[in-house]
Amino acid sequence: MMAELQAWANLALRWLHVVAGIAWIGSSFYFMWLDSHLKAPKVARGDGVAGELWSVHSGGFYHQTKFMVAPADMPEELHWFKWEAYTTWMSGFLLLGLIFYVGADLNLIDRTKADLATWQAIGLGLGSLVAGWLVYDGLCRSPVGQNLKLFSAIWFGLLTAAGYGLTRVFSDMGAFMHVGAIIGTVMAANVFMIIIPNQRKVVAQVLAGQAPDPKYGKQAKQRSVHNNYMTLPVLFIMISNHYPMIHAAPLNWLWLAGLGIAGWTIRHFFNLKNAGRFEPQVLAAGALAFVTVAVLNASARPKPPTTDVVPDFATVRAIVDRHCIACHAAHPTHRGVPVAPNGAAFDTDADLAKHAERIYARTVATKSMPQGNETGMTDDERAQLGAWIKAGAKVGG
């Protein structure tokens, strides 16, 4: 019953996380686009308007204006773009806790890397989120934060170092998801700690009849731009669990960094394009980064364990029953696994043969299964599975 409840909680939180993330990222993309398309009024208005834009959507016409700092008088109703960010982070944090903290033994701890107690693994994970924000915020407040290129290089280097360090102590997916959680926490904290409070200060100054301090808007804009550039790397991490050739590779932290560069570069291309600068070489650089990762990843990937002897089916069946069947069965017995992952059940001979290629990819080629090698599958066992699959995955006999 508990496993069933966890599965439904996982579904609800993941669904909410994706929906909220779409809303948050969509608003980020829209406002970056809007800022780049605003044009100064043709006739000086004298009311502090820095730019305006006419647009059409869904049969309606819209006239957007942006003030240099703030309007002279605040409207009665003012919409705050904050709950998209808060909901994304809260649902993501709960999902992180449900999968990697409640299920730490299965999904977070890899005892071949570090023999951590559950409380140690959770403490390390939570500590990485707090440390990530403190380091990032300190950089932003330092002189480094005033130089976007220098800041970007240092922050990228720190995130790469975090990826390297976390992959040394956590399961591959646990490490990847914590890098994503560091980025997501920084993005949400930017909204909660800087952007919204600064906007509130400006509103309070206007309502008090004071001239609003432009520094608050500049600080908020700085963090908003950072958030915009971090969206594509964090989105990749959200889907990376589907690609074991990345997250389960020996140099997984390096491939994560390379794909982060690809995401950042592609985002930069579209930001430049929205500002009226068509720079195809920037997009080409992003594509080159992606292709480079793919080529280097393939060349650096170790060869799967092999054997010249094709085992009989009874031997294969015993290996699968020993290492896979607790999760991949019609009625899994592993704690926290209510149904077979991805619907792949191996408890019948026919199903085992049907999923042979997927078994090869995850168990032999990338060694990403069993999760964290919880059952201690040996290279010899992997080689025997591979030989059987390469020989046609024949059952019986």
Side-chain angles (χ1 to χ4, degrees):
M1 176 61 73
M2 184 57 66
E4 189 75 16
L5 289 175
Q6 288 182 4
W8 282 103
N10 186 317
L11 172 59
L13 288 172
R14 194 180 298 273
W15 198 354
L16 176 61
H17 187 56
V18 170
V19 171
I22 290 171
W24 184 15
I25 293 170
S27 64
S28 172
F29 283 12
Y30 172 72
F31 278 103
M32 286 289 288
W33 176 91
L34 179 61
D35 271 351
S36 66
H37 283 75
L38 292 169
K39 297 184 182 299
K42 293 182 179 179
V43 179
R45 296 173 45 160
D47 56 1
V49 170
E52 60 182 356
L53 172 75
W54 281 91
S55 58
V56 60
H57 188 277
S58 302
F61 292 87
Y62 300 82
H63 185 204
Q64 293 102 327
T65 58
K66 179 180 179 180
F67 292 84
M68 184 66 71
V69 180
D73 298 300
M74 280 292 155
E76 292 184 5
E77 293 186 13
L78 185 63
H79 183 78
W80 299 79
F81 285 85
K82 57 182 181 178
W83 287 110
E84 299 90 342
Y86 299 164
T87 305
T88 301
W89 186 85
M90 288 187 290
S91 59
F93 181 76
L94 290 173
L95 195 59
L96 183 76
L98 180 65
I99 297 174
F100 294 100
Y101 297 161
V102 174
D105 287 340
L106 176 63
N107 297 315
L108 182 60
I109 298 172
D110 185 340
R111 302 195 187 283
T112 64
K113 297 179 181 179
D115 191 12
L116 299 172
T118 299
W119 68 269
Q120 292 174 321
I122 295 173
L124 184 58
L126 293 174
S128 70
L129 306 189
V130 175
W133 164 249
L134 292 176
V135 171
Y136 166 85
D137 187 56
L139 276 176
C140 287
R141 296 178 187 275
S142 74
V144 171
Q146 307 309 309
N147 185 323
L148 183 59
K149 291 182 179 179
L150 178 60
F151 171 86
S152 299
I154 293 176
W155 180 233
F156 169 76
L158 290 171
L159 285 174
T160 301
Y164 175 82
L166 290 170
T167 55
R168 301 305 97 182
V169 295
F170 284 162
S171 69
D172 296 327
M173 278 313 308
F176 266 46
M177 289 305 157
H178 274 81
V179 174
I182 290 172
I183 299 173
T185 297
V186 163
M187 293 171 67
N190 274 340
V191 177
F192 184 72
M193 303 288 286
I194 303 296
I195 297 174
I196 294 300
N198 281 17
Q199 290 174 342
R200 291 191 185 281
K201 291 173 184 176
V202 171
V203 169
Q205 289 176 333
V206 172
L207 292 176
Q210 303 170 359
D213 191 335
K215 74 176 183 181
Y216 296 122
K218 290 178 63 177
Q219 290 172 352
K221 184 63 178 177
Q222 174 201 46
R223 305 301 181 100
S224 181
V225 170
H226 291 176
N227 279 4
N228 184 267
Y229 278 97
M230 287 188 280
T231 51
L232 294 190
V234 81
L235 279 175
F236 163 72
I237 293 174
M238 288 174 65
I239 65 172
S240 63
N241 63 303
H242 296 288
Y243 303 98
M245 77 278 197
I246 297 295
H247 72 72
L251 296 175
N252 49 10
W253 62 273
L254 184 60
W255 312 136
L256 177 60
L259 292 173
I261 291 175
W264 177 88
T265 307
I266 292 168
R267 183 68 241 155
H268 188 54
F269 166 78
F270 284 102
N271 285 340
L272 291 175
K273 184 175 182 294
N274 291 337
R277 293 173 53 189
F278 181 64
E279 305 281 354
Q281 71 275 12
V282 176
L283 184 62
L288 178 61
F290 185 91
V291 172
T292 300
V293 168
V295 172
L296 292 179
N297 171 270
S299 61
R301 197 179 306 154
K303 293 182 178 180
T306 59
T307 178
D308 293 332
V309 179
V310 179
D312 57 35
F313 181 68
T315 300
V316 171
R317 181 77 261 177
I319 293 173
V320 171
D321 289 348
R322 184 160 54 249
H323 297 290
C324 311
I325 212 69
C327 297
H328 291 279
H331 302 287
T333 58
H334 197 294
R335 181 175 61 85
V337 182
V339 295
N342 299 315
F346 310 148
D347 38 4
T348 71
D349 295 348
D351 282 339
L352 177 56
K354 181 176 71 173
H355 294 294
E357 289 301 322
R358 296 170 68 182
I359 293 172
Y360 185 88
R362 299 300 300 268
T363 306
V364 183
T366 65
K367 300 184 184 180
S368 58
M369 287 292 168
Q371 185 80 11
N373 200 16
E374 183 184 26
T375 60
M377 179 179 278
T378 66
D379 278 353
D380 181 61
E381 290 173 317
R382 296 180 193 277
Q384 291 184 76
L385 267 181
W388 172 73
I389 293 168
K390 289 296 185 183
K394 298 176 181 178
V395 301

